[in-house]
Amino acid sequence: MAPGRGRKRKLEDDEEGEAATAAAAASSSSDPAESLEQSLTFSDTLVALQIMRAQFPRIDKVSIKPFILRSQLYSSVMDRTQVDRELESLRRAKTLRIFKLSTGQDDHAVMFLDDYINQIDSVVKKKEEKKLPNLEAFDWFKMHVIDTRLEPNISHEELCSLLSLGGKVKDQHVSLLINGGVLIRQLIDPDMYWFAIPSIGSVLKGLSQGRKELLGLLSRKKYKEMMMATLEKKRLRLSPLDMRFHLRDLIGSGHLKTISTPTGLVVRVSKD
Amino acid sequence: MWKEIESRESGKIRPHRFANRLKSRRVASLQLSNTKDIVSPHRGSVNSLQIDLTEGRYLLSGASDASTAVFDVLQPQDYEGGGLIAKHKSILVVDKQHEQGHKYAVSTAIWYPIDTGLFITGSYDHFIKVWDTNSTQVVMNFKMPGKVYTTAMSPLATSHMLIAAGTEDVQVRLCDIASGAFAHTLSGHRDGVMTAQWSASSEWVLVTGGCDGAIRFWDIRRAGCFRVLDQSHSQLGRRPPILCHATTKASTSKSSLGGQSTSAKTGTTLGKFPNGNGTKKSSLGRILGKTSSKQRLHPGMMSSRDRATAHYGAVTGLKVTEDGMYLLSAGSDSRLRLWDVESGWNTLVNFETVRLQTNKAIQLAVSQESDLVFVPCMTAVKAFDFWSGKTSMTFRGHFENVNCCWFSSHDQELYTGGNDRQILVWSPFVSHEMEEGTAQDRDSWSD
């Protein structure tokens, strides 16, 4: 009897643990009063990813699933090498996908695989409403290409050979995938494509404008710094993403640095 | 310090470890030297620095005003400040006034690795000149098809005297000092070659980094390169796991079926690729299957089809560690990557670099005993820990961008040169309290 009860209690504990993290995630996303200062660093990359996914701001005009920037992870977990290695093992385990963004030198976006599939499905649905032909290309893409090719880029031959596992491939299929936004041609190499998140264009524009606005805001101050508590409450005009998103991103990429003072964290523009 | 000498004496710590501890402690206290100063005769930014490999005594520097200078770093010419500051002036300067001198900027200056009787300079005027140090005359002149970005000579070479030259042309040329002619050219890069380093473990292996972002390993006895580093091929740790059931192999089992038939045609060189590059093997086979009808390619030249990149921009700096096991590369995407030479994979160590200069090549320095890598980051030189990537020390002293640095492991000193025309010395901190005490002690007297 006793071992049975012990196991049952352990199961309950596990459930409680899961419920606690889910509750924490839900509360942090819905509770604006919880400051960024308290939740700046996490112990583990996967925990950081899940909580930042829950904290992703709701954008009204565009329906987009949550994605996390790589620089945000660098500001959230202490050891950057550990972040890189854990991302690599999660990518190989097909839990998430990494995309190279066109906004900066080394910008990468991380998205969970289920979110990505849902995003593609919503694009397909919109195209079905317009009654476009050749939509089976997206199904072939989901079934064969995403499963096999884990890197952020793919060559033309490999793309065609993987798509042809689903059916006969024509040029119109590839053009439809590019139109849908899941593939982008590389500028340097005409034969290679980048994988991309569909309908993300306006968000990326907001991202780069928001970064510039935030850096400009701090650079105009006399000592180029500001308390994090007051900075968090401001709203950016040009970006649909919230201040917390931009702060994590810029701290992680090294443009801003945080200094701990007796009254709290201070955010300062770092000079190189 | 005395405690350590005592434990060394009694055998508690081994001699190598004792030496390493002392060296690491000295390196950890590196700061701008208050006893040593190098008087730089250059009127342009300092592009290249090297201390000779045999004695560790002579510093060779090349600058943008077409001048090259040699300094003696152990013996100063002059003393200042009451004998406290040693001034090292140049013992040899070659500039535009010299009738055989370079006309444009000198981008690279290296010593002949066997002795200091010769040094080699490469410049933007398309020439590589070999100089005799004692008579300051040009012994040999090589004309290149474009601006010379880098030259390198192998420190291990016993059977060849080749200078590897990287220029804005896509081919890497090997110049032979013994015959005065070009030995051969290595093709494979798709843009200019900015950096070149010889391997520290084999006299036949050369590593080059190009403006196309690729890093290629060449064995000069064969045609074509035998490895191209790909940043997406990575291993989680210093060495790859012993049984690597990489998912890349499993996932390409479907796509490699098409490649099997064509790979049989292309010969045995494909089989020499290590396991982790399984994806490359099959995709290469498929690409060649398509074009083999149009163009028969030599098996050694197949690597020219491989377009893997090591960086998202140009490769601006390369450094092989002294034991020849790891390779560090810096790119214009402002990232520093550590590669395992034997497996050819990215070890995913993240160095906290924010910005690196992108238009010129930078020279990296490695201190193997204290596991540090010195990287010029804009106006400062940062020392990163090798395995964790964390910033260990920052050296701020230059007024403008730093281009080159050299670490002398003999006496744990760092030499840096930058666009502000200065060569700065960073040495371990030594306090001078002893001398002042004895001079001022006038109160202890008795009648």
Side-chain angles (χ1 to χ4, degrees):
Chain A
M1 273 307 271
R5 206 182 300 155
R7 231 177 292 137
K8 193 175 169 199
R9 191 161 299 155
K10 188 172 178 295
L11 276 171
E12 278 176 330
D13 280 347
D14 279 346
E15 278 173 355
E16 267 178 355
E18 278 173 5
T21 46
S27 67
S28 57
S29 59
S30 59
D31 182 9
E34 196 212 76
S35 71
L36 180 56
E37 217 167 302
Q38 282 147 6
S39 65
L40 193 55
T41 56
F42 305 103
S43 59
D44 189 12
T45 319
L46 192 55
V47 166
L49 280 167
Q50 282 162 346
I51 294 195
M52 284 200 273
R53 178 182 177 271
Q55 289 178 344
F56 192 77
R58 287 192 57 82
I59 308 168
D60 298 320
K61 289 180 222 156
V62 190
S63 76
I64 183 158
K65 296 285 177 299
F67 66 91
I68 300 119
L69 293 174
R70 208 170 179 149
S71 43
Q72 292 180 322
L73 284 174
Y74 289 151
S75 67
S76 316
V77 182
M78 279 282 84
D79 189 3
R80 289 182 174 209
T81 309
Q82 182 198 352
V83 169
D84 273 352
R85 289 179 176 163
E86 283 178 12
L87 269 183
E88 180 66 22
S89 31
L90 286 169
R91 190 183 65 94
R92 285 185 193 169
K94 298 189 195 174
T95 323
L96 42 83
R97 277 198 80 88
I98 302 185
F99 302 93
K100 184 167 183 321
L101 299 176
S102 53
T103 41
Q105 260 294 343
D106 201 18
D107 263 346
H108 291 265
V110 178
M111 206 186 217
F112 283 96
L113 193 63
D114 318 315
D115 288 338
Y116 185 52
I117 305 276
N118 289 340
Q119 185 83 15
I120 298 183
D121 286 338
S122 58
V123 169
V124 174
K125 215 172 296 176
K126 262 189 236 149
K127 288 206 184 286
E128 267 172 2
E129 283 163 23
K130 292 187 209 160
K131 303 253 189 286
L132 291 169
N134 295 331
L135 282 175
E136 62 272 5
F138 287 100
D139 289 326
W140 301 342
F141 186 77
K142 271 190 293 184
M143 221 178 323
H144 302 288
V145 183
I146 296 188
D147 217 33
T148 323
R149 178 80 181 173
L150 300 175
E151 272 88 45
N153 55 3
I154 188 170
S155 68
H156 185 72
E157 288 92 29
E158 202 179 341
L159 176 71
C160 290
S161 66
L162 287 171
L163 282 176
S164 57
L165 291 171
K168 193 147 167 41
V169 172
K170 293 181 285 200
D171 277 338
Q172 288 95 333
H173 291 119
V174 179
S175 328
L176 187 65
L177 287 174
I178 298 178
N179 252 337
V182 287
L183 285 179
I184 293 183
R185 266 218 150 81
Q186 276 191 25
L187 293 170
I188 346 163
D189 205 345
D191 237 352
M192 297 284 282
Y193 299 100
W194 293 118
F195 286 116
I197 305 173
S199 48
I200 201 182
S202 55
V203 180
L204 287 185
K205 182 176 176 206
L207 177 68
S208 37
Q209 284 186 325
R211 278 179 184 165
K212 266 189 246 167
E213 191 187 340
L214 180 51
L215 283 174
L217 200 146
L218 281 173
S219 311
R220 268 177 273 130
K221 297 274 170 190
K222 187 175 181 187
Y223 294 106
K224 304 202 188 333
E225 64 184 13
M226 206 163 157
M227 292 290 301
M228 190 182 264
T230 33
L231 188 57
E232 255 196 302
K233 297 196 176 73
K234 285 189 186 277
R235 286 211 62 204
L236 290 168
R237 266 191 317 123
L238 304 165
S239 169
L241 302 160
D242 65 353
M243 178 61 86
R244 189 165 45 181
F245 189 93
H246 284 291
L247 271 176
R248 280 203 218 263
D249 168 45
L250 286 172
I251 293 173
S253 59
H255 292 97
L256 296 177
K257 62 176 187 243
T258 51
I259 304 154
S260 60
T261 64
T263 41
L265 280 178
V266 164
V267 177
R268 188 186 287 174
V269 177
S270 63
K271 58 175 176 19
D272 209 23
Chain B
M1 166 82 172
W2 294 113
K3 200 156 178 217
E4 277 169 352
I5 294 183
E6 206 182 3
S7 21
R8 164 78 191 88
E9 213 178 289
S10 60
K12 279 189 217 155
I13 41 178
R14 303 233 150 237
H16 191 65
R17 197 133 171 239
F18 172 66
N20 266 2
R21 269 196 209 175
L22 272 180
K23 286 184 190 176
S24 308
R25 199 178 303 143
R26 276 169 65 88
V27 170
S29 68
L30 273 178
Q31 57 173 54
L32 195 53
S33 175
N34 48 4
T35 50
K36 210 172 201 176
D37 194 21
I38 293 188
V39 181
S40 159
H42 299 297
R43 303 259 165 91
S45 43
V46 179
N47 290 329
S48 154
L49 281 179
Q50 197 196 34
I51 292 193
D52 73 295
L53 304 164
T54 43
E55 283 182 280
R57 187 169 172 182
Y58 297 103
L59 174 68
L60 177 68
S61 65
S64 289
D65 63 340
S67 65
T68 314
V70 175
F71 303 88
D72 181 342
V73 292
L74 292 180
Q75 192 65 27
Q77 274 69 44
D78 207 4
Y79 282 97
E80 248 184 45
L84 283 176
I85 303 178
K87 288 273 181 203
H88 296 259
K89 298 205 179 80
S90 56
I91 51 182
L92 174 70
V93 180
V94 178
D95 55 9
K96 279 188 202 161
Q97 266 101 42
H98 195 283
E99 64 264 358
Q100 295 161 321
H102 285 290
K103 301 281 177 301
Y104 296 135
V106 171
S107 55
T108 161
I110 55 174
W111 285 108
Y112 181 55
I114 314 292
D115 60 42
T116 51
L118 288 177
F119 62 89
I120 295 122
T121 54
S123 147
Y124 280 5
D125 65 357
H126 304 352
F127 278 99
I128 290 183
K129 295 186 196 280
V130 181
W131 301 79
D132 178 329
T133 325
N134 293 311
S135 60
T136 328
Q137 295 296 316
V138 172
V139 173
M140 219 169 272
N141 223 335
F142 295 101
K143 176 121 181 38
M144 294 286 143
K147 290 192 231 176
V148 179
Y149 286 139
T150 179
T151 52
M153 279 197 81
S154 173
L156 306 172
T158 51
S159 46
H160 68 81
M161 283 204 258
L162 297 170
I163 307 173
T167 62
E168 34 170 22
D169 185 46
V170 299
Q171 290 178 327
V172 179
R173 282 183 163 67
L174 295 174
C175 317
D176 189 9
I177 302 185
S179 61
F182 295 107
H184 48 275
T185 58
L186 307 169
S187 344
H189 276 289
R190 291 182 294 137
D191 202 353
V193 177
M194 246 190 162
T195 57
Q197 283 267 301
W198 287 88
S199 158
S201 47
S202 164
E203 57 171 329
W204 307 108
V205 175
L206 174 68
V207 189
T208 56
C211 296
D212 54 353
I215 296 179
R216 285 169 182 261
F217 279 70
W218 313 85
D219 183 330
I220 59 174
R221 297 168 294 187
R222 293 191 294 192
C225 74
F226 64 89
R227 185 181 289 144
V228 183
L229 293 181
D230 188 341
Q231 58 185 316
S232 50
H233 288 183
S234 46
Q235 68 192 34
L236 309 169
R238 289 192 203 186
R239 302 286 305 140
I242 297 174
L243 295 167
C244 37
H245 294 291
T247 47
T248 45
K249 269 174 62 180
S251 53
T252 53
S253 58
K254 270 188 276 179
S255 44
S256 65
L257 285 173
Q260 286 298 344
S261 50
T262 48
S263 59
K265 267 190 259 168
T266 46
T268 52
T269 39
L270 276 175
K272 286 189 192 153
F273 279 57
N275 281 340
N277 300 352
T279 37
K280 247 198 314 215
K281 179 163 51 167
S282 47
S283 59
L284 266 180
R286 235 178 302 116
I287 293 170
L288 284 159
K290 213 174 161 186
T291 58
S292 60
S293 52
K294 298 180 203 164
Q295 194 182 14
R296 287 271 304 271
L297 217 55
H298 188 277
M301 296 309 292
M302 280 183 319
S303 60
S304 56
R305 302 256 171 203
D306 191 342
R307 287 163 168 201
T309 55
H311 281 273
Y312 285 125
V315 178
T316 49
L318 274 184
K319 185 78 183 175
V320 184
T321 56
E322 288 143 22
D323 53 11
M325 286 184 59
Y326 294 97
L327 172 71
L328 269 160
S329 66
S332 62
D333 58 350
S334 301
R335 291 208 90 164
L336 211 64
R337 293 193 208 276
L338 182 66
W339 307 84
D340 180 338
V341 167
E342 208 256 304
S343 62
W345 289 348
N346 185 354
T347 56
L348 289 180
V349 177
N350 191 309
F351 293 92
E352 298 165 0
T353 47
V354 177
R355 254 184 17 154
L356 296 174
Q357 68 172 358
T358 55
N359 52 345
K360 262 188 187 169
I362 54 176
Q363 205 178 344
L364 310 173
V366 170
S367 160
Q368 191 99 44
E369 295 102 18
S370 30
D371 280 342
L372 286 178
V373 51
F374 298 95
V375 183
C377 297
M378 308 311 285
T379 53
V381 176
K382 290 195 186 160
F384 296 101
D385 180 71
F386 220 69
W387 306 116
S388 66
K390 293 200 174 41
T391 314
S392 163
M393 289 180 277
T394 309
F395 302 105
R396 283 185 211 278
H398 280 277
F399 297 120
E400 285 179 44
N401 284 358
V402 184
N403 293 325
C404 46
C405 61
W406 188 271
F407 182 72
S408 157
S409 48
H410 279 263
D411 31 5
Q412 294 86 48
E413 279 179 349
L414 179 69
Y415 298 87
T416 56
N419 284 349
D420 57 354
R421 316 168 184 176
Q422 296 301 317
I423 300 174
L424 294 181
V425 186
W426 309 80
S427 50
F429 177 66
V430 172
S431 57
H432 285 281
E433 291 152 5
M434 316 278 192
E435 299 163 42
E436 284 158 20
T438 49
Q440 297 295 331
D441 201 12
R442 291 189 187 175
D443 293 331
S444 62
W445 59 274
S446 70
D447 232 340

